Amino acid sequence: MSLDTTYQGRNFRSVGTRPLRPDGVDKVTGRARYGADFNMPGQLVARILRSPHAHARIVRIDTSRAEALKGVKAVVTAADLPDLTEGDQGLFNTLENCMARTEVLYDGHAVAAVAAIDARVAKQALKLIEVEYEVLPHVTDVDMAARPDAPKANGTAPNIAKQTEFGHGDVDAGFARADVIVERSFLTEQTHQGYIEPHACVASCNSDGTAEMWVCTQGHFVYRQTCASLLGLDVSKLRVTSSEIGGGFGGKTHVWAEPVALALSRKAGRPVKLVMSREEVFRASGPTSATSIDVKIGATKDGRITAATAHLRYSNGPYADGWAEMGAMTSFACYDLENVKTVGSEILVNRPKVAAYRAPSAPMAAFAVESAVDELAQKLGIDPVEFRIQNAASEGTRSSYGPVYGPIGIGPTLEAAKAHDHMKAPLGPNQGRGMACGFWFNFGGQTCTDLNINADGTVTLAVGTVDVGGSRASLSLIAAEELGIDYKDVKAVVADTATLGYNDMTDGSRGTFSSSMATISAARNAIEVMRQRAALIWDIPVEDIDWEDGHAVARGENYGNLPPLSVADIAAEAGTTGGPIAGHSEIVADGAGVSFATHICDVEVDPETGSTRIKRYTVIQDAGKAVHPSYVEGQYQGGAAQGIGWALNEEYVYGEDGRLQNPGFLDYRIPVCSDLPMIDTQILEIPNPNHPYGVRGVGETSIVPPLAAIANAISNAVGVRMTHIPMSPPRILAALDREKAG
Amino acid sequence: MASLPVSTTINSDDVEYLCHADESLLDVLRDRLGLMGAKEGCGTGDCGACSVIMDGRVVCSCLVLGAEAEGRNIETIEGMADGNTLHPLQQKFIEHAALQCGICTPGFLMAAKALLDTNPDPSEEEIRFWLAGNLCRCTGYDKIVRAVADAAIVMREERA
Ligand code: FES
Ligand code: FES
């Protein structure tokens, strides 16, 4: 049966409640098993040797002394990971990023790895590996790298790797009609997702050609695919189990060291555990891009935007598979524009290969655009919320990246902001208020789900989307809702790659959106089976049976004496009515439903030190339908907090030598509890027309507005437009000094 | 390298182990004793995921040597619940959805327990500053602070 995914409206009985999560007790008692919490018999410990240079040719690697050390069971280099990528450039980049081949391309690039009987021996062995480098010129800054005379970051490839363009209309004509134009350039520094759990896996290759891997990942099916391709394994022979995951935010959608662990295990003939240190996480996994962005927006005196352009340059690391395109697409997505043009450029630099970070590329674009929008409103003497309302996209608007919107939440979040008491609260000395909007697409994708009705009528729901923040609770609610049973009678588990069909990553805010769609479909299939079983039990036509509130109900006067059959009643007869009862679903979830947010923020800036405190913060976002509101609020708050860190403090600092200077939580400081106030949330529910329950993805949009909202607040507090993120104390003081100097 | 014999108390049980002189208490707990509730987020004392309580004080077990546990009294997350009865902090963390990924949770619970053991009625500010050594990247801390404040109420009522 194919699923009708259209939203039909519904009185929910389970969805929208706040039950306890099914994995809660394990997680508060220390029993939940994360990436590093798993061991295998005979397991070895792996360590990776990393480049101390930003860019160098590998002249020679000699591993013989390491191999000779007692307790060392395997040493691997690129030679042990032969290139099987057959011209697939993206896959080759992944391979080379896991282990440098002829050149090291950034400080921290892996060059060799060892597996030994314990960490002590492994560390000793690393010291015995001799690598001769020929140092090459490097470039780490995005604007420097874009200059024609810049050193090439990777071989002979041009540093300006890929350009994408979006837009419509005639921007020149639009600017010609403008009464006021704001034109500004903005910079943002590179940040890391900062998940607290470092990458970790246990890999085990058997002599019969099969392999297993336990790993913290946002997508074990995709890890399986990538690792199997790189190792030359049949996909079916590699079984990947996703551990509990200690945060990912996009950083665990890409493989980093897992193929190396498999190669070590293959060579040693023993299981291998590989856990990155925090320093390795910073130097060699996941950061998002640094950016340099030019924005130009024009408007008429009465506040109508006539044209808008943005050129966005995103640093990529050494490979041409970054995320600038998303920045170019999202920049002006909040607005209804007649003339708009955006260009996204990917710039190669000698920094780690960038990874997705929660709404990848959108926060930086929003910072630039929403700062310019604010400035334009100021110049026009129009309230910033009002100005945005006047120009907001709505149903039927052709978005700046192409598609025409259905029902969307930008207008409603702005109206909610306008009405919010936060907007009316008085401000103290040195305080400023800012607001900004944000957009994210959300994704759907391939999803496979099994719903098994157990003998006692309880339900086991097997999903293939990793639970990064409470989705097992949400999906149990969905199954309970559709079946008409209690939440407590559903247990959701994340299945491994051998027991369920393929699933895409938990990324693009797709986890709950797409798995809920598949769960509804699986539940409807199971209901069909249960109606048929009830028909057999009662010996009446199946057409005469309805499904109501978790029961098969015989419809019509003839059946007045037939008491409804519960799921348990039907399950009890399964053995005599055709065997086990289950519903399955394999879908490509389409129509994820775009999401919008408006954030409001009050700051206080100390004019002596330039340090900023967030005094009050409000997130208003459209969730479509909040399945488990506590976890929706959690996504809003968590995204805002990450945005606050990004706006005020977090940045990768590179030295002249091209080496990362702050690869640790002491010097790369993410917000702590005492840095933040409570983060207020307001959930709006504008149903997604393409989901049976109206659900939209909620995980990412919340990180899009904070950079701009805080920049606007600080600019209002200090009277100087802030254009460089993070707005750390020295940068604020410098901006104040520049202003004084005129 | 020669190993040192250590006798200590962990979650009220007498425990003996051998460890290297430079081995952290965190490594001893996780790798030698199988107590994997304490997590390594950094290994440098900056994240608090490895927090345990030693003689009533919350410490980063990655910064304590295994040998330093000699004669001490160590509490870890594995000993927080009383059998199947959760500690009020554990219960409130689940109720308030104060965890998303949960990797920071054992550390927060240990730190919060040490707080409430000494200060049964902390203000929001006291909670925030006490927990400033524990990083959480998922929650923005809002629900964590609320859970701790709510658990404090329950614990005061239990005592009364
Ligand atoms: S692991 Fe000990 S403080 Fe981070
Ligand atoms: S819940 Fe993920 S780090 Fe705190």
Side-chain angles (χ1 to χ4, degrees):
Chain A
M1 187 182 75
S2 81
L3 176 69
D4 178 6
T5 61
T6 48
Y7 175 70
Q8 281 139 353
R10 192 181 178 103
N11 286 324
F12 293 104
R13 50 175 259 176
S14 291
V15 164
T17 62
R18 300 174 184 242
L20 304 186
R21 65 194 280 168
D23 52 332
V25 171
D26 277 350
K27 286 184 171 163
V28 299
T29 54
R31 291 184 203 181
R33 287 188 307 166
Y34 294 85
D37 300 340
F38 181 79
N39 292 310
M40 281 182 79
Q43 154 190 304
L44 303 171
V45 176
R47 284 284 186 279
I48 295 181
L49 183 69
R50 296 183 179 278
S51 164
H53 303 293
H55 194 191
R57 195 169 69 80
I58 301 172
V59 180
R60 184 181 65 93
I61 302 185
D62 184 351
T63 59
S64 56
R65 286 176 64 216
E67 275 158 36
L69 183 68
K70 200 162 181 307
V72 171
K73 302 295 177 183
V75 181
V76 299
T77 63
D80 298 283
L81 283 162
D83 179 7
L84 308 173
T85 60
E86 294 175 350
D88 180 335
Q89 189 61 44
L91 198 56
F92 178 81
N93 295 347
T94 301
L95 173 70
E96 192 183 50
N97 190 51
C98 289
M99 190 62 78
R101 305 187 81 78
T102 52
E103 286 184 8
V104 292
L105 300 169
Y106 55 91
D107 167 49
H109 199 167
V111 291
V114 304
I117 50 163
D118 60 28
R120 179 179 305 264
V121 177
K123 259 190 247 170
Q124 243 178 308
L126 288 190
K127 295 205 185 97
L128 298 176
I129 299 175
E130 293 164 29
V131 188
E132 192 185 320
Y133 295 101
E134 177 195 336
V135 175
L136 300 171
H138 67 267
V139 62
T140 55
D141 179 79
V142 60
D143 280 331
M144 299 278 273
R147 301 219 296 238
D149 57 342
K152 294 238 177 358
N154 185 356
T156 55
N159 287 349
I160 301 179
K162 193 172 141 201
Q163 299 239 114
T164 40
E165 275 192 39
F166 296 90
H168 53 251
D170 179 344
V171 289
D172 291 332
F175 284 122
R177 279 202 288 122
D179 297 311
V180 181
I181 292 176
V182 166
E183 195 168 3
R184 272 209 188 261
S185 297
F186 299 88
L187 296 172
T188 70
E189 296 299 330
Q190 185 156 39
T191 58
H192 195 277
Q193 295 82 349
Y195 32 81
I196 305 301
E197 180 198 32
H199 299 272
C201 67
V202 178
S204 174
C205 292
N206 284 323
S207 53
D208 62 1
T210 62
E212 282 181 67
M213 187 160 64
W214 163 272
V215 61
C216 60
T217 171
Q218 288 173 252
H220 44 314
F221 291 91
V222 178
Y223 270 39
R224 175 183 63 166
Q225 187 85 35
T226 308
C227 290
S229 308
L230 295 181
L231 273 288
L233 291 166
D234 290 345
V235 170
S236 64
K237 297 225 170 97
L238 175 58
R239 180 176 191 171
V240 181
T241 304
S242 64
S243 69
E244 293 295 332
I245 176 172
F249 316 111
K252 290 176 183 165
T253 60
H254 313 253
V255 306
W256 303 103
E258 295 75 13
V260 176
L262 283 162
L264 282 167
S265 172
R266 183 166 62 182
K267 199 161 179 181
R270 287 177 53 176
V272 169
K273 182 170 187 171
L274 197 161
V275 181
M276 279 197 193
S277 68
R278 176 56 52 185
E279 180 179 326
E280 288 180 288
V281 171
F282 275 114
R283 284 172 73 203
S285 79
T288 186
S289 308
T291 69
S292 163
I293 300 174
D294 307 321
V295 176
K296 185 176 173 185
I297 310 177
T300 58
K301 280 199 292 285
D302 56 356
R304 182 73 201 148
I305 298 177
T306 57
T309 62
H311 186 184
L312 311 100
R313 291 166 295 273
Y314 285 77
S315 76
N316 255 18
Y319 299 108
D321 41 18
W323 304 85
E325 185 172 9
M326 302 276 182
M329 291 170 85
T330 57
S331 315
F332 293 106
C334 293
Y335 299 105
D336 178 10
L337 301 175
E338 217 176 300
N339 308 298
V340 57
K341 181 178 169 185
T342 59
V343 181
S345 306
E346 297 186 5
I347 313 289
L348 304 194
V349 293
N350 296 111
R351 294 190 183 206
K353 184 179 196 286
V354 289
Y357 179 14
R358 202 171 201 160
S361 295
M364 308 81 141
F367 161 57
V369 167
E370 289 293 288
S371 294
V373 165
D374 235 49
E375 191 173 354
L376 193 52
Q378 258 163 17
K379 284 202 169 156
L380 292 164
I382 304 176
D383 172 79
V385 180
E386 207 53 63
F387 181 60
R388 287 174 171 88
I389 289 173
Q390 280 182 42
N391 290 284
S394 57
E395 187 166 1
T397 296
R398 180 164 176 215
S399 68
S400 55
Y401 65 98
V404 173
Y405 289 133
I408 55 172
I410 179 66
T413 65
L414 281 163
E415 295 291 351
K418 186 173 153 185
H420 204 285
D421 22 304
H422 185 165
M423 273 299 182
K424 293 156 207 134
L427 288 166
N430 298 319
Q431 295 186 352
R433 174 168 302 141
M435 52 79 57
C437 300
F439 158 89
W440 186 245
F441 312 93
N442 299 326
F443 294 113
Q446 299 186 66
T447 312
C448 179
T449 295
D450 277 354
L451 186 151
N452 286 295
I453 310 283
N454 301 312
D456 60 357
T458 62
V459 170
T460 305
L461 179 68
V463 300
T465 46
V466 172
D467 180 352
V468 295
S471 65
R472 274 166 293 192
S474 301
L475 295 172
S476 300
L477 281 169
I478 296 272
E481 182 75 47
E482 191 63 34
L483 293 169
I485 62 177
D486 281 348
Y487 169 79
K488 68 169 176 38
D489 291 331
V490 182
K491 171 83 177 165
V493 298
V494 179
D496 69 63
T497 60
T499 52
L500 195 65
Y502 178 81
N503 279 264
D504 284 334
M505 296 276 181
T506 300
D507 67 357
S509 300
R510 70 177 287 278
T512 297
F513 167 77
S514 58
S515 270
S516 69
M517 213 183 237
T519 298
I520 292 167
S521 166
R524 288 183 186 172
N525 291 340
I527 289 169
E528 269 316 294
V529 177
M530 287 192 282
R531 283 178 58 232
Q532 282 156 14
R533 299 302 175 84
L536 284 174
I537 293 169
W538 281 327
D539 197 16
I540 66 172
V542 68
E543 300 76 47
D544 291 354
I545 297 173
D546 285 341
W547 190 262
E548 278 169 20
D549 283 339
H551 291 79
V553 181
R555 189 180 41 207
E557 283 163 23
N558 300 349
Y559 308 130
N561 56 352
L562 290 176
L565 291 171
S566 69
V567 177
D569 295 335
I570 298 169
E573 300 298 324
T576 55
T577 56
I581 301 170
H584 307 279
S585 167
E586 300 86 25
I587 60 167
V588 177
D590 280 329
V594 297
S595 125
F596 292 89
T598 297
H599 290 196
I600 315 164
C601 163
D602 293 355
V603 300
E604 184 171 313
V605 182
D606 182 335
E608 301 286 314
T609 63
S611 95
T612 300
R613 264 202 91 73
I614 306 290
K615 303 300 288 183
R616 184 169 178 183
Y617 204 100
T618 303
V619 176
I620 304 163
Q621 186 178 318
D622 173 21
K625 174 69 199 173
V627 178
H628 190 307
S630 296
Y631 291 102
V632 173
E633 291 162 3
Q635 290 294 324
Y636 291 7
Q637 292 165 335
Q642 281 183 319
I644 290 168
W646 195 340
L648 294 180
N649 230 328
E650 296 175 31
E651 74 178 291
Y652 268 40
V653 179
Y654 276 87
E656 287 290 310
D657 57 0
R659 300 200 64 188
L660 181 59
Q661 298 191 328
N662 58 338
F665 279 137
L666 186 62
D667 298 315
Y668 182 99
R669 195 174 173 284
I670 71 173
V672 302
C673 203
S674 53
D675 292 334
L676 299 179
M678 292 296 184
I679 296 171
D680 296 331
T681 58
Q682 186 176 346
I683 301 173
L684 303 187
E685 295 186 326
I686 296 140
N688 175 2
N690 305 313
H691 185 284
Y693 294 177
V695 171
R696 296 175 193 263
V698 298
E700 292 174 287
T701 314
S702 52
I703 202 174
V704 181
L707 278 57
I710 296 164
N712 289 337
I714 293 178
S715 301
N716 290 335
V718 302
V720 183
R721 176 59 49 189
M722 299 304 299
T723 59
H724 192 169
I725 292 251
M727 296 168 286
S728 51
R731 256 185 216 123
I732 289 185
L733 288 182
L736 291 174
D737 285 348
R738 272 199 306 277
E739 179 76 0
K740 266 191 223 133
Chain B
M1 185 186 284
S3 294
L4 304 168
V6 176
S7 303
T8 185
T9 305
I10 301 181
N11 300 328
S12 309
D13 292 328
D14 293 341
V15 176
E16 295 186 351
Y17 54 81
L18 292 171
C19 70
H20 294 298
D22 62 353
E23 198 171 329
S24 72
L25 176 60
L26 176 61
D27 285 346
V28 169
L29 291 172
R30 290 181 54 86
D31 299 341
R32 293 191 187 265
L33 305 178
L35 295 172
M36 301 223 244
K39 308 298 176 193
E40 178 166 327
C42 67
T44 52
D46 300 314
C47 78
C50 63
S51 298
V52 300
I53 297 174
M54 186 157 86
D55 291 344
R57 279 181 50 220
V58 57
V59 294
C60 294
S61 63
C62 70
L63 295 184
V64 175
L65 292 172
E68 286 180 277
E70 174 69 36
R72 306 294 196 105
N73 186 15
I74 313 280
E75 296 171 57
T76 73
I77 187 68
E78 287 87 354
M80 194 171 187
D82 180 8
N84 285 325
T85 309
L86 295 180
H87 186 280
L89 275 163
Q90 293 173 308
Q91 187 61 37
K92 289 300 171 190
F93 264 59
I94 303 177
E95 283 174 17
H96 282 265
L99 50 141
Q100 282 176 34
C101 81
I103 193 89
C104 67
T105 308
F108 269 98
L109 288 169
M110 283 288 106
K113 177 171 186 295
L115 168 66
L116 299 188
D117 285 349
T118 51
N119 178 356
D121 191 9
S123 66
E124 181 188 335
E125 198 174 359
E126 284 172 318
I127 294 172
R128 286 190 180 275
F129 277 87
W130 184 276
L131 297 178
N134 292 76
L135 300 180
C136 174
R137 192 58 156 171
C138 298
T139 63
Y141 305 104
D142 183 302
K143 293 182 190 299
I144 292 177
V145 173
R146 291 177 200 276
V148 173
D150 200 8
I153 294 173
V154 172
M155 288 169 69
R156 287 200 302 275
E157 280 166 1
E158 276 176 5
R159 276 194 205 106

